[in-house]
Amino acid sequence: MSIRTRLLLVNLGLLAMAFTGISWFAGAQITAGLRVDFEGRLMSEIRLIAQGVAPAAAAFARDESDDAALAAAFAPYEAQMGGTLRLYFTGRSLEQYAGLNTACNPLPHPEPPEIEAAIAGQPIVSQRIAEDGVVHLFTAASVLDDGGVIGLLQLSVPTSALQALTAQRWGVLVGGMVALTLVAALVVAWLARQLLRSLRQLQESAARFAQGDLKHRIVSPTNDEIGAVAHAFNTMAERIQSMLEAQHTFASNTSHEFRTPLTTIQLRTEALKRSPVIMQDTAARKYLDEIDAEIARLAGMVQGLTLLARLDADRLELGRDEVDIVRFASALRQQMFAQAQEKGVILQLDTPSEPVHIQVNLAHLTLVFRNLLDNAIKYTSGGGTVRWSLVCEGDTIVHTIADTGIGIAPEHLPHVFDRFYRADRARLRDVPGSGLGLSIAASILHVYGGSIEVQSPGINQGTTVMVRWRFQRPAQNAGSLAANPD
Ligand code: ATP
Ligand code: MG
């Protein structure tokens, strides 16, 4: 999981916890506050309603009106409060109005707490299950007529009204918190992005450096801890680059210095071979031939190392020769034909029917494919086949050099491009080679933007080398180029 994701998750987790805590606390306060407000409102309203319905209640008690008139007087208040009003007549008042009205409610026994509180003149709100089985809030107030108490007015409101109000407030609160969390998440994401930008820059630079871009440095590092790492990276890159340059210079100088004595030794053996004494001495001639062969091998290695040193130091000049790769392949096949024939290996070539031009130094191109064909022939026993085919894929020419030779074991495959690496040396004891050819080919191809890949199913199952090289397709050449077996 990336640092950015982790940072985001941790921050979001903390924010969610903090906001949930705040919401819960605020919600509890709001709920309690709402109940206190609601009850306060019920108590003040019942007093006003008691005053409002007093004339109607007095008329009813005096038998001057009926139930319907009383209900009509209650109706607007009941609608306003969303509850039910009930009028109880006190004993004293009942006495006063005895016999005048048959529909009056006597006080219930025992008296409910809100009625008791209203009689005591200290109204309260009580909560209990009403006759309809629903939880209600009850409050009551005295109804006065001519300064005397004629009854008690009870108001009951289902708690659902309070619950709806509470739910509405909770909804607003939770909605607000969710919106706030989202905003905070966006801010955190933006901050994480800002913070990690320099880290990403550092990572990209390290990757570029690892891919061989030794000149790459981090430009204007930030003024923080990551900036300090960037400075350290730049210093390290500087040192590695100068160390590698020193190494390349050393390799280049050494190979160069080897050349002169080698040429001298070669000239001396030539001279010795021509001497009449040596000409008659077969043993001496044999030794001189062996020395010559070793000198040639050494000279080849020195040449290879010099080229690698130039490639490493980016000092190889890209060629601008216009080469028709089809003609080049035919010519090279001719050159390698004798070597293949000597080994009893069949060398085949498939090329497109039309010319394909690439811009390259002919010597570099020859070095690459001579080594690949040399390998294919060298590592294939008599009776085997080497097939070199060229196919155009878009603006890339794909070379496939497939042989039926000794193959490469899977554990050796990843190393065949390493310098001086020879897979399974014991098996290759009699096959000449220094293990530089593929690394030189790969370095040259890299410089020209090409690529090389070696595949082998395993020992004695042959080897296939694929080289991809981009070319400039001329406008009139844009049609398909059919493979043309040679
Ligand atoms: P040099 O090319 O310097 O004369 P070399 O041929 O041994 O020596 P490379 O061309 O670099 O070196 O190849 C490296 C190794 O890869 C070889 O030693 C061989 O083990 C293996 N290899 C390369 N091509 C083939 C092939 N066609 N078949 C089997 N093994 C191969
Ligand atoms: Mg080779």
Side-chain angles (χ1 to χ4, degrees):
M1 201 190 284
S2 70
I3 295 185
R4 190 170 167 209
T5 320
R6 269 184 279 167
L7 260 177
L8 266 178
L9 286 180
V10 168
N11 278 302
L12 282 182
L14 286 174
L15 280 172
M17 270 164 61
F19 284 155
T20 311
I22 294 171
S23 303
W24 182 83
F25 182 72
Q29 296 292 322
I30 289 172
T31 308
L34 270 178
R35 191 175 179 104
V36 170
D37 286 356
F38 196 78
E39 289 181 357
R41 193 180 138 229
L42 284 186
M43 287 186 290
S44 56
E45 288 292 334
I46 191 64
R47 250 181 258 130
L48 294 173
I49 297 170
Q51 281 172 24
V53 300
F60 179 82
R62 273 190 241 103
D63 228 2
E64 290 167 14
S65 68
D66 56 6
D67 285 355
L70 193 63
F74 285 177
Y77 297 110
E78 286 178 331
Q80 182 196 334
M81 298 305 294
T84 313
L85 288 169
R86 184 175 282 182
L87 186 62
Y88 295 105
F89 289 96
T90 58
R92 188 172 59 82
S93 310
L94 270 179
E95 231 168 71
Q96 191 180 344
Y97 295 104
L100 292 179
N101 197 313
T102 49
C104 55
N105 296 307
L107 269 180
H109 286 285
E111 287 165 356
E114 73 281 359
I115 300 278
E116 233 174 272
I119 292 169
Q122 285 170 343
I124 57 157
V125 172
S126 82
Q127 179 178 317
R128 64 179 178 277
I129 299 172
E131 291 145 15
D132 57 3
V134 178
V135 181
H136 278 63
L137 291 173
F138 292 87
T139 188
S142 309
V143 181
L144 304 172
D145 183 43
D146 285 341
V149 177
I150 57 163
L152 287 151
L153 187 66
Q154 182 198 49
L155 171 65
S156 74
V157 177
T159 46
S160 54
L162 176 62
Q163 280 160 1
L165 203 61
T166 313
Q168 187 197 348
R169 294 288 160 87
W170 268 98
V172 172
L173 183 74
V174 171
M177 284 301 173
V178 168
L180 218 66
T181 311
L182 284 179
V183 172
L186 287 178
V187 173
V188 167
W190 179 80
L191 270 178
R193 197 186 155 84
Q194 290 300 105
L195 258 179
L196 295 177
R197 187 187 287 165
S198 33
L199 208 59
R200 204 173 318 115
Q201 194 188 3
L202 191 64
Q203 179 204 351
E204 282 165 9
S205 298
R208 278 183 68 173
F209 195 77
Q211 279 162 12
D213 185 359
L214 300 183
K215 292 192 185 112
H216 181 72
R217 298 289 180 275
I218 297 168
V219 218
S220 48
T222 45
N223 221 357
D224 52 16
E225 288 84 346
I226 299 175
V229 180
H231 277 297
F233 172 87
N234 281 349
T235 317
M236 181 194 73
E238 204 74 53
R239 285 211 61 193
I240 292 180
Q241 193 189 359
S242 60
M243 272 163 62
L244 284 174
E245 273 169 7
Q247 207 180 334
H248 294 156
T249 315
F250 174 76
S252 163
N253 290 346
T254 317
S255 3
H256 194 263
E257 290 306 315
F258 266 114
R259 263 199 213 156
T260 326
L262 278 177
T263 317
T264 315
I265 299 171
Q266 223 166 2
L267 288 174
R268 295 289 178 271
T269 53
E270 293 287 322
L272 274 175
K273 273 192 205 167
R274 282 198 295 273
S275 121
V277 186
I278 301 289
M279 278 173 115
Q280 282 157 22
D281 187 337
T282 18
R285 277 188 61 86
K286 185 172 162 271
Y287 290 147
L288 278 175
D289 283 345
E290 280 174 15
I291 293 173
D292 258 354
E294 287 304 311
I295 295 289
R297 206 165 81 85
L298 259 178
M301 272 167 64
V302 166
Q303 200 184 358
L305 281 174
T306 314
L307 183 64
L308 275 173
R310 281 183 32 224
L311 281 163
D312 288 344
D314 278 342
R315 287 212 302 265
L316 188 79
E317 280 192 20
L318 290 188
R320 290 276 164 247
D321 304 336
E322 189 82 10
V323 178
D324 171 12
I325 194 87
V326 176
R327 278 185 58 195
F328 163 81
S330 303
L332 189 61
R333 183 200 174 225
Q334 284 301 322
Q335 286 172 30
M336 303 296 287
F337 197 73
Q339 186 185 336
Q341 212 173 23
E342 199 179 304
K343 238 191 127 198
V345 172
I346 302 160
L347 181 57
Q348 296 175 329
L349 176 66
D350 294 347
T351 58
S353 55
E354 292 177 41
V356 180
H357 289 98
I358 58 172
Q359 281 200 333
V360 65
N361 179 325
L362 190 59
H364 298 158
L365 191 68
T366 313
L367 215 59
V368 171
F369 286 101
R370 185 181 277 281
N371 177 60
L372 297 183
L373 288 181
D374 176 59
N375 282 355
I377 298 169
K378 218 162 51 166
Y379 301 118
T380 301
S381 5
T385 309
V386 172
R387 193 182 182 90
W388 180 10
S389 55
L390 285 73
V391 176
C392 290
E393 284 179 7
D395 59 354
T396 303
I397 178 124
V398 183
H399 299 257
T400 310
I401 298 169
D403 64 55
T404 56
I406 62 167
I408 305 170
E411 66 269 25
H412 293 300
L413 260 182
H415 305 289
V416 290
F417 292 106
D418 296 353
R419 289 170 195 184
F420 294 109
Y421 189 85
R422 303 202 76 202
D424 201 354
R425 278 177 185 274
R427 239 174 17 126
L428 304 185
R429 206 178 303 124
D430 300 329
V431 187
S434 53
L436 281 178
L438 279 182
S439 55
I440 293 175
S443 300
I444 292 177
L445 279 162
H446 178 73
V447 174
Y448 282 95
S451 70
I452 182 168
E453 198 183 325
V454 178
Q455 298 167 350
S456 172
I459 299 276
N460 294 329
Q461 293 182 62
T463 303
T464 302
V465 181
M466 296 213 359
V467 170
R468 291 170 187 276
W469 201 307
R470 287 178 67 161
F471 65 93
Q472 287 290 322
R473 189 189 277 271
Q476 71 270 28
N477 233 15
S480 68
L481 299 171
N484 175 30
D486 191 28

